[in-house]
Amino acid sequence: WILLTRIAVIALFLSSCFEEHTNSLIPLCLNLYSIIIFVADITMKRSLMVPLGDWTNPMIIMMSGLCLEMLAVRMVGIRVRFFIFSAAKPIAIFKYSEKARNAFRALKRIVPIVVQVLALELFLILSFAAVACTLYSDFDSFHNLSTAWLSLFQLSTTVVNPSIWMPMYNESRNAGFFFVTFDTVTILYLHSLVLSVVFQTYVQASTEIHERTLTEREETIQLCFMSLQGLKSSKSQVDIESIQQVLQYVRPYYDEMKINTLVEIVDPSDIGFVDYPTFRTTIRKALNASIRSRPTQNALAFLVEMIAIFVATANCAYVILLTSNFEAEWFDLITYPTGALITLLGTFELLVRANPFRLIHFTPVTRLNPTFDGLATLAALLSIWGLFHYKYQLQLMITGRAIDMIRIMRFQKMFRDVVDRCGDVVPALEGPLALVISTHHLYVYLGMSIWGGAILVGKNVGVITPLYDLNNFNSYMEGFVTMFQVLIINDWHGISEVYLYATRHANPYIVYPFFVGANLISVNIMLHCMTAFFVGAFITKLDETKSDEERGAIMKELKDEGDSTIDSSSRSIPKLPLARNSSSASLYSLNFPTEEMEDDSQDYEVVERQGFDTILRTVTGSNNENADDYIKEVGKMLETFEYLTEGQVNISYMLCCQQTMTRFGNQRFENIAKEYLGTDERHTIVNDMHARLLSPSNMNDSIAQNVTKNECTLRFTASLVHDQPAISMIVLRII
């Protein structure tokens, strides 16, 4: 059903491409399909008591108005430029896309700040324009304040740089100081300021949205834990058999060994059950894990890899020679046979690596990649079609070979990583892209309502830039192309000049505000939002987890501490041993027995899936390293407090992070715990208190526990200091 609703959203926008044809049934059918799906969806949700969301009422109004517009088209034949409710179609995107709604919430945070920065930029341009009118009033571009402002605004977008000020520079070299100063202030400073403001504000808004999503996800995990408890488990624990059944349902395409691998991630201690603190951490790792077979380095895999390298190299050389100025009689004779041989070898290598019928048991050295191998498949189909197509034989084959040139990038890890990252980032761009498309759509309909049919192609030859009258709003598709040209900035001023010769509304005070506003909104806000998300999503770290040696170097233990105060010269928090080992790495291997392999072993890789949540964590900076940094910052604050009280307040504390399974505490906590408790006992107490704090049934902000040892009572008190990730503080004192 989700797929049907997404198709309905796409069909809604596709119908706009045919709206200029008033006698066509295509827009009517597409709109009716979308409306039927939307009405059915809203009706079903109401009957099931599902919350409809804030966009439901605007959606109903839009659909009602769209029905009236379709009726007007069929009965009255009203022109497309008067369509109003069709311009409101982006409401459907925000209704059925949570990512688009989140991006819209972030946009509402951005707009007030960016508007102030843009107002500052426009006022500075006005100031420079006033000066330019005084200095260069003899030139048409700066004859009065309005033309000077427009000329400098065009210069600030770089579309007329440096052509617009070369005449002044030709008259006097001193003009260079004025225009270089203007370019520096607007292009290098203000535009960078706008981008930085958009980036910071968008990331902050995305962080808040992500934290709210994590809170909702935490509630979902609690409900999942309680549901599993109701199946077959005790009061505070969940049986691994119940979790295994759920994993088999979630991953029906996984065999028993892969399911067992996921089970081992959920229950690394292999005790047959898990408590809630362990479950909330490990179930996320299991659901985000992708179990893959390691490449088997056998002779067949090596041979296929050598064929792939040869085909990629030969194909690249073949296309370069064929499309360059290289001419040789011998090459003309072998052009077709060589292309046919490369095509057949490439197709053979692709089929062997894909191994669709599992005729042979091997794993290729280089894994199948949807991008590289998808393009290789398209290239093979085109080239093979060319082999049997007499009329376009060589053209189709060369086209396929040119597309297949990209396969040579598959053998470089850097290119594979970039393409893989793109595959993860592009779906996550749905929200920012929805903002750009919605703005684009609204401006297209606004342009159609003003200049629909007003640009006569080919009429103003000689007075406008050649062929620029093709950038018009005579139809939705032509308007979409026109606004795309404005979006990428280049020559938007040349496009705007076309509308000075329109058959209606050719007034400069209508034309230029439209295109200047489109530049400010589409480029400075919407496009920068997408750029901010895209740049943030591509922040890559070589190693997100530190080794124990690195952590030990950073977190030195306090030694030779004779009294209860803390020396200010060594202000660090020692890391206490973990109760059990827990790896936070995203890639590791496990060995499991299997009867299919001759050596009775199968090697698996467990790789973290890079989904939308992972991308958003990267953008917002919400990672494990930040959790440890937070713990260290809290510890340093407590140490500073102890130091400033000069020993009057002595605190024995420990900070525990459930996400990274790290423990940080001061030396006093360690000394007291060692004196009265064994290693296993104190870790059991700490883990138990941390688990009780995170238990769904816990309704208290803090808990306490007394332990009597050697006629002395130790009192442990604990409370959560951070929710996402869950970080607790445990204080120990002797009573």
Side-chain angles (χ1 to χ4, degrees):
W1 184 252
I2 294 176
L3 178 62
L4 288 177
T5 55
R6 288 186 175 271
I7 294 175
V9 172
I10 295 173
L12 195 65
F13 281 86
L14 283 178
S15 65
S16 297
C17 301
F18 304 94
E19 283 177 346
E20 67 272 14
H21 306 293
T22 56
N23 295 324
S24 176
L25 292 176
I26 296 178
L28 178 64
C29 295
L30 292 174
N31 284 330
L32 282 178
Y33 166 77
S34 301
I35 291 174
I36 290 172
I37 294 296
F38 296 150
V39 170
D41 180 73
I42 294 173
T43 303
M44 287 190 296
K45 287 181 178 179
R46 280 182 174 172
S47 62
L48 296 173
M49 305 296 290
V50 177
L52 296 177
D54 298 333
W55 291 88
T56 301
N57 290 334
M59 185 75 177
I60 294 174
I61 295 174
M62 185 270 291
M63 290 189 296
S64 302
L66 199 59
C67 290
L68 293 176
E69 286 183 353
M70 289 190 297
L71 187 63
V73 169
R74 304 308 301 176
M75 297 183 64
V76 184
I78 189 172
R79 298 180 67 178
V80 68
R81 67 186 185 93
F82 295 108
F83 284 179
I84 298 175
F85 290 99
S86 293
K89 289 179 180 180
I91 292 175
I93 298 179
F94 297 103
K95 166 66 178 174
Y96 290 100
S97 173
E98 183 180 1
K99 298 174 186 176
R101 292 194 297 272
N102 290 338
F104 184 75
R105 295 189 190 103
L107 178 66
K108 290 193 292 186
R109 288 277 304 274
I110 293 172
V111 169
I113 301 175
V114 175
V115 166
Q116 297 179 41
V117 178
L118 291 179
L120 172 63
E121 178 181 1
L122 297 178
F123 183 78
L124 285 177
I125 293 176
L126 181 65
S127 301
F128 274 96
V131 175
C133 286
T134 304
L135 298 176
Y136 311 113
S137 59
D138 295 336
F139 297 87
D140 292 338
S141 299
F142 301 95
H143 181 66
N144 55 45
L145 185 62
S146 59
T147 57
W149 187 92
L150 180 62
S151 299
L152 289 180
F153 181 82
Q154 293 173 351
L155 180 60
S156 70
T157 61
T158 71
V159 294
V160 292
N161 187 49
S163 60
I164 197 169
W165 57 277
M166 281 297 101
M168 284 73 79
Y169 186 70
N170 183 50
E171 293 289 333
S172 173
R173 296 296 187 267
N174 294 330
F177 291 102
F178 175 83
F179 290 102
V180 168
T181 302
F182 176 80
D183 286 344
T184 302
V185 171
T186 56
I187 300 174
L188 300 182
Y189 177 70
L190 288 177
H191 287 186
S192 300
L193 179 62
V194 171
L195 180 59
S196 63
V197 167
V198 171
F199 183 86
Q200 292 295 332
T201 310
Y202 189 87
V203 168
Q204 291 174 4
S206 298
T207 302
E208 295 179 2
I209 294 170
H210 188 227
E211 289 177 352
R212 184 169 62 250
T213 303
L214 290 178
T215 302
E216 296 173 353
R217 188 167 299 169
E218 185 69 26
E219 296 174 355
T220 303
I221 291 178
Q222 290 182 6
L223 292 174
C224 177
F225 185 81
M226 289 187 289
S227 299
L228 290 172
Q229 280 183 312
L231 292 177
K232 198 179 176 181
S233 304
S234 61
K235 183 177 180 181
S236 60
Q237 297 166 339
V238 171
D239 201 8
I240 286 298
E241 292 183 3
S242 301
I243 297 177
Q244 186 175 15
Q245 293 176 7
V246 174
L247 291 175
Q248 288 174 343
Y249 179 80
V250 174
R251 303 279 177 87
Y253 46 88
Y254 272 19
D255 57 22
E256 183 178 354
M257 286 183 295
K258 290 185 177 182
I259 293 296
N260 290 337
T261 305
L262 295 178
V263 170
E264 182 167 331
I265 296 174
V266 178
D267 182 23
S269 301
D270 195 23
I271 57 178
F273 57 86
V274 292
D275 55 11
Y276 178 71
T278 303
F279 176 81
R280 70 190 292 271
T281 300
T282 57
I283 194 64
R284 294 172 178 171
K285 295 180 180 179
L287 295 177
N288 287 332
S290 177
I291 313 299
R292 305 173 181 174
S293 300
R294 279 189 180 275
T296 54
Q297 304 296 330
N298 53 25
L300 179 58
F302 181 77
L303 176 62
V304 172
E305 190 72 4
M306 290 299 101
I307 294 175
I309 294 175
F310 170 77
V311 170
T313 306
N315 179 74
C316 190
Y318 173 79
V319 175
I320 291 175
L321 290 175
L322 194 61
T323 55
S324 64
N325 293 328
F326 177 78
E327 293 182 2
E329 185 177 350
W330 62 268
F331 186 70
D332 294 338
L333 296 175
I334 65 171
T335 296
Y336 178 78
T338 303
L341 178 61
I342 293 175
T343 298
L344 295 177
L345 283 176
T347 305
F348 170 76
E349 180 268 340
L350 186 63
L351 288 174
V352 173
R353 288 180 62 249
N355 197 14
F357 302 107
R358 298 295 184 266
L359 300 178
I360 50 179
H361 184 79
F362 91 108
T363 304
V365 176
T366 305
R367 292 188 178 277
L368 291 173
N369 183 282
T371 302
F372 291 124
D373 294 301
L375 289 174
T377 303
L378 175 62
L381 293 175
L382 278 175
S383 297
I384 292 174
W385 185 21
L387 294 178
F388 299 99
H389 198 291
Y390 178 77
K391 186 177 180 180
Y392 301 104
Q393 187 178 63
L394 194 60
Q395 183 179 359
L396 288 172
M397 187 180 67
I398 295 175
T399 302
R401 294 303 89 218
I403 294 174
D404 206 25
M405 287 180 69
I406 199 173
R407 77 157 60 210
I408 201 169
M409 299 171 62
R410 177 166 58 89
F411 304 101
Q412 294 293 327
K413 186 178 183 302
M414 183 191 71
F415 294 138
R416 293 199 304 270
D417 292 342
V418 170
V419 170
D420 289 341
R421 191 63 169 170
C422 286
D424 301 327
V425 170
V426 170
L429 283 172
E430 178 183 326
L433 191 60
L435 297 179
V436 175
I437 292 177
S438 299
T439 306
H440 219 64
H441 180 86
L442 290 172
Y443 259 98
V444 169
Y445 271 97
L446 180 59
M448 292 169 64
S449 65
I450 300 174
W451 296 295
I455 301 298
L456 304 179
V457 178
K459 180 181 179 181
N460 299 306
V461 177
V463 295
I464 62 172
T465 306
L467 302 180
Y468 269 38
D469 50 5
L470 294 175
N471 297 298
N472 55 63
F473 293 97
N474 294 342
S475 67
Y476 182 84
M477 287 299 297
E478 291 171 312
F480 199 90
V481 172
T482 301
M483 290 309 303
F484 181 79
Q485 305 281 23
V486 175
L487 182 67
I488 60 175
I489 302 175
N490 289 342
D491 272 1
W492 69 266
H493 67 298
I495 296 173
S496 63
E497 290 174 357
V498 172
Y499 294 85
L500 298 176
Y501 301 93
T503 57
R504 65 173 182 276
H505 304 309
N507 193 319
Y509 292 99
I510 297 177
V511 173
Y512 287 117
F514 176 88
F515 285 96
V516 170
N519 183 278
L520 292 174
I521 296 175
S522 299
V523 178
N524 288 281
I525 299 179
M526 300 303 173
L527 190 59
H528 282 172
C529 283
M530 191 165 67
T531 303
F533 189 93
F534 199 79
V535 171
F538 264 92
I539 296 174
T540 306
K541 296 181 180 179
L542 295 177
D543 186 7
E544 293 185 351
T545 56
K546 298 181 180 178
S547 62
D548 291 338
E549 292 78 12
E550 291 172 330
R551 291 183 185 273
I554 296 175
M555 305 301 297
K556 290 184 178 180
E557 293 188 4
L558 297 176
K559 297 182 178 180
D560 301 328
E561 185 180 348
D563 54 18
S564 59
T565 61
I566 295 178
D567 186 6
S568 61
S569 63
S570 57
R571 308 172 66 80
S572 59
I573 310 172
K575 178 184 176 182
L576 301 182
L578 297 180
R580 67 180 179 194
N581 296 328
S582 177
S583 174
S584 61
S586 62
L587 176 62
Y588 53 95
S589 62
L590 297 169
N591 292 326
F592 294 92
T594 177
E595 298 177 356
E596 298 180 4
M597 302 297 294
E598 295 179 0
D599 57 354
D600 296 330
S601 67
Q602 176 74 31
D603 203 11
Y604 285 118
E605 288 178 340
V606 183
V607 183
E608 183 183 5
R609 293 170 180 257
Q610 300 292 314
F612 175 74
D613 186 62
T614 307
I615 298 298
L616 201 56
R617 285 204 311 268
T618 305
V619 174
T620 59
S622 305
N623 50 33
N624 293 347
E625 206 168 289
N626 285 351
D628 287 348
D629 290 340
Y630 180 83
I631 289 179
K632 288 185 284 186
E633 288 298 323
V634 173
K636 288 179 181 179
M637 292 174 61
L638 292 173
E639 285 187 345
T640 302
F641 176 75
E642 287 185 295
Y643 173 72
L644 294 176
T645 57
E646 298 180 351
Q648 298 178 12
V649 178
N650 299 324
I651 305 174
S652 304
Y653 64 87
M654 172 183 284
L655 296 165
C656 310
C657 178
Q658 179 64 24
Q659 180 174 317
T660 61
M661 298 299 293
T662 53
R663 309 284 189 265
F664 292 96
N666 65 350
Q667 191 64 42
R668 189 175 297 104
F669 187 99
E670 181 76 354
N671 292 338
I672 296 176
K674 280 184 177 180
E675 182 178 356
Y676 294 96
L677 303 171
T679 302
D680 294 338
E681 189 175 7
R682 65 175 180 266
H683 284 308
T684 300
I685 293 172
V686 169
N687 287 342
D688 179 65
M689 297 191 73
H690 192 60
R692 286 165 56 193
L693 283 172
L694 298 176
S695 174
S697 59
N698 179 43
M699 302 300 293
N700 301 319
D701 295 332
S702 61
I703 57 175
Q705 180 176 342
N706 294 336
V707 178
T708 302
K709 287 288 182 179
N710 301 328
E711 300 181 353
C712 185
T713 301
L714 303 179
R715 183 169 181 81
F716 292 85
T717 54
S719 178
L720 282 177
V721 296
H722 197 270
D723 290 332
Q724 297 294 338
I727 299 175
S728 61
M729 174 183 285
I730 301 176
V731 176
L732 170 61
R733 59 191 179 95
I734 302 176
I735 58 175

